[in-house]
Amino acid sequence: MKITIIGHNYFPEDSGIGLYTTGMAEFLALKHEVTIITGVPYYPQWKVHAEYANSPLFSKETINHVTVYRFKQYTPAKPTFFKRVLQMVHFLMGSVVNVLKIKKSDVIIVVMPFTVSIILGWFLKICKGGMFWIHIQDFEFDAALKTKVPSKHQITSKILFQIEKWTLNRADFNSTISKGMMIKLAHKSSVDSIYFPNWIDYSIINPENVQEHKAFSSTTFNILYSGNIGEKQDWDFYMAFVTAMQMHPEFHFYLVGEGAKREEIVQQLQSLGNFTYCPPVPYNQLNDLLCQADVHVLFQKPEFKDLVMPSKILGMMASAKPSIVTGHEDSEIKNNFEHSQGGGYFHENSIETVKQVLLQLKENPEIAKSMGLRARQYVVENFALESVLPQFEQDLIKKSKQFY
């Protein structure tokens, strides 16, 4: 099949949505002719990567058998709600040129966000035909409205939701990455939907292949958060917890990543003796980082339930180390931890509760080891690359046969 993918984030971005869009495209390219329409890489630093800083407005590459058409989109250094909207619109307008370069598509896949990219896919379908598939990684408008959107912009927000509803119903099929998001999607679109979760390459995130990572101290119990430092995590609780744990110098907190909240958090915590910030590590070093932590933490804002599914959870669990996670009491992530028994999940942000769990894990290394192994077993059984991606390809072929 000739497959065209439209997604704003792509290689060499090696975290978040770009990582999964790249993995999907390259897997499909093993048997199909795959083209992607994308932007220049900027995530998670919110700065165009150095190797693309001087690239032209439009460019074309071939990467691992995938034809890549890029448009150099506007990238705000400090993303706000409306700067992100401006980025979306700029990408939409510029990428129309790249869409017109596609001669034929049997399947068109749009990765959301950006929601407005769906318009590109629909335009391509009208012009050249093909089955139109929308894959939702993030309900971006809902998530944005959970953050700081001034009341004077509520009219704009209503317009955006109308755009989202209209665009989602242009597809022939939709998919998304969690069961909770499937339910959310059913309220937004009447189109048939398929569960297509993110996956883990457990041969890469593998504690048996770990090498010493220079980030950690060998004399402390090391607690890691690695990933996007953005609005969807509860950083107020994180900062309060790190501050409160100063009385336990045997614990050390490592914050690894980049994002809109990084500067604020590091500024408040950098003077504390139990806290260290490190910039994002390359993907080929991620295994060493994740597998050498003693415990992973992820403190989520409960209001983001069913709007996103943090893919970092898969890497945390695959590292064979226990995790401590907070979030909504009905979260799908909670179910993952209850079934795997690979860590602790709490719907209340209690400093004392999380502290007691950390103390127990430090004092009982065999319990911590058992938790970690159960977590890894769970993601290998349920989210392995070699089962998720072939199933998606089968769904794609099956639906395309029905379509044609």
Side-chain angles (χ1 to χ4, degrees):
M1 294 190 298
K2 293 182 181 293
I3 301 173
T4 300
I5 301 171
I6 302 174
H8 187 233
N9 301 94
Y10 197 71
F11 181 89
E13 292 184 6
D14 57 7
S15 63
I17 294 170
L19 177 67
Y20 289 102
T21 302
T22 303
M24 174 179 66
E26 293 184 352
F27 178 83
L28 293 174
L30 295 175
K31 297 180 181 178
H32 308 279
E33 185 178 326
V34 179
T35 299
I36 180 157
I37 295 170
T38 188
V40 294
Y42 68 93
Y43 185 84
Q45 296 87 356
W46 285 91
K47 181 180 180 181
V48 175
H49 290 196
E51 62 268 38
Y52 288 87
N54 297 317
S55 66
L57 197 59
F58 297 94
S59 58
K60 178 182 178 182
E61 304 174 75
T62 300
I63 304 173
N64 292 333
H65 308 292
V66 177
T67 301
V68 182
Y69 289 107
R70 296 190 190 271
F71 171 70
K72 194 173 185 179
Q73 77 287 348
Y74 162 72
T75 300
K78 294 185 177 181
T80 63
F81 178 78
F82 281 94
K83 284 182 179 179
R84 291 182 184 186
V85 171
L86 181 58
Q87 185 186 44
M88 295 177 203
V89 173
H90 191 228
F91 177 73
L92 169 67
M93 295 173 62
S95 295
V96 168
V97 176
N98 284 331
V99 165
L100 293 173
K101 297 173 184 177
I102 305 298
K103 295 180 179 179
K104 182 181 184 299
S105 286
D106 299 307
V107 177
I108 303 159
I109 303 173
V110 170
V111 179
M112 172 183 159
F114 292 153
T115 303
V116 295
S117 297
I118 298 171
I119 298 172
L120 294 169
W122 183 60
F123 176 66
L124 180 57
K125 174 183 171 65
I126 290 174
C127 294
K128 305 292 176 67
M131 182 181 71
F132 185 24
W133 187 300
I134 298 171
H135 180 55
I136 301 161
Q137 287 275 2
D138 187 333
F139 287 111
E140 62 187 321
F141 293 159
D142 295 81
L145 290 174
K146 296 296 183 182
T147 58
K148 301 174 182 178
V149 180
S151 58
K152 66 180 180 179
H153 297 310
Q154 292 305 309
I155 294 176
T156 303
S157 301
K158 291 179 180 179
I159 294 172
L160 291 176
F161 278 124
Q162 288 299 315
I163 292 172
E164 178 190 59
K165 183 177 181 179
W166 183 86
T167 54
L168 286 173
N169 281 288
R170 304 280 71 77
D172 298 302
F173 299 98
N174 290 326
S175 59
T176 191
I177 63 175
S178 77
K179 300 295 178 61
M181 291 173 72
M182 289 283 290
I183 296 171
K184 185 85 173 175
L185 178 58
H187 293 292
K188 294 174 176 285
S189 171
S190 58
V191 173
D192 287 344
S193 299
I194 288 173
Y195 173 57
F196 173 29
N198 287 334
W199 59 88
I200 188 71
D201 186 343
Y202 61 87
S203 68
I204 292 179
I205 307 301
N206 185 354
E208 295 182 4
N209 298 333
V210 70
Q211 297 181 12
E212 184 176 355
H213 198 282
K214 60 184 179 181
F216 296 121
S217 168
S218 60
T219 61
T220 55
F221 193 81
N222 299 316
I223 303 154
L224 174 67
Y225 173 89
S226 175
N228 180 46
I229 308 173
E231 295 282 356
K232 297 163 191 172
Q233 288 78 46
D234 193 338
W235 295 112
D236 289 338
F237 180 66
Y238 180 87
M239 290 187 287
F241 186 67
V242 173
T243 302
M245 289 296 289
Q246 289 181 92
M247 64 182 66
H248 295 277
E250 67 272 26
F251 294 97
H252 198 94
F253 293 82
Y254 291 86
L255 179 64
V256 179
E258 188 54 86
K261 300 284 288 183
R262 187 264 305 166
E263 186 176 348
E264 172 190 345
I265 296 159
V266 173
Q267 185 175 0
Q268 293 201 37
L269 296 179
Q270 62 185 352
S271 63
L272 303 185
N274 64 338
F275 172 81
T276 299
Y277 167 76
C278 300
V281 300
Y283 188 67
N284 60 10
Q285 295 180 22
L286 185 61
N287 182 58
D288 301 333
L289 180 76
L290 295 181
C291 294
Q292 286 190 70
D294 293 299
V295 174
H296 299 282
V297 294
L298 174 61
F299 304 142
Q300 304 172 100
K301 292 179 179 177
E303 58 264 33
F304 284 94
K305 171 184 173 282
D306 297 337
L307 302 183
V308 297
M309 182 68 173
S311 57
K312 64 176 66 64
I313 288 286
L314 301 179
M316 291 160 57
M317 298 179 77
S319 72
K321 294 299 174 71
S323 301
I324 300 175
V325 181
T326 66
H328 196 281
E329 59 183 331
D330 295 324
S331 168
E332 190 167 333
I333 299 174
K334 175 187 176 182
N335 295 333
N336 291 346
F337 278 99
E338 286 183 343
H339 287 120
S340 68
Q341 297 184 345
Y345 186 96
F346 306 96
H347 68 268
E348 293 181 351
N349 284 338
S350 167
I351 289 176
E352 186 60 29
T353 299
V354 178
K355 183 180 80 171
Q356 289 304 318
V357 174
L358 283 176
L359 289 169
Q360 291 171 12
L361 291 173
K362 183 178 185 298
E363 293 168 3
N364 299 277
E366 288 304 313
I367 292 177
K369 182 178 179 180
S370 296
M371 276 189 178
L373 291 174
R374 288 195 296 266
R376 178 172 173 81
Q377 181 181 4
Y378 181 79
V379 295
V380 168
E381 291 176 352
N382 292 277
F383 299 97
L385 178 152
E386 59 262 38
S387 58
V388 173
L389 283 174
Q391 181 60 55
F392 173 66
E393 183 187 23
Q394 289 177 26
D395 290 336
L396 209 60
I397 293 171
K398 179 181 177 180
K399 295 300 183 182
S400 67
K401 288 180 179 179
Q402 293 176 5
F403 179 79
Y404 289 107

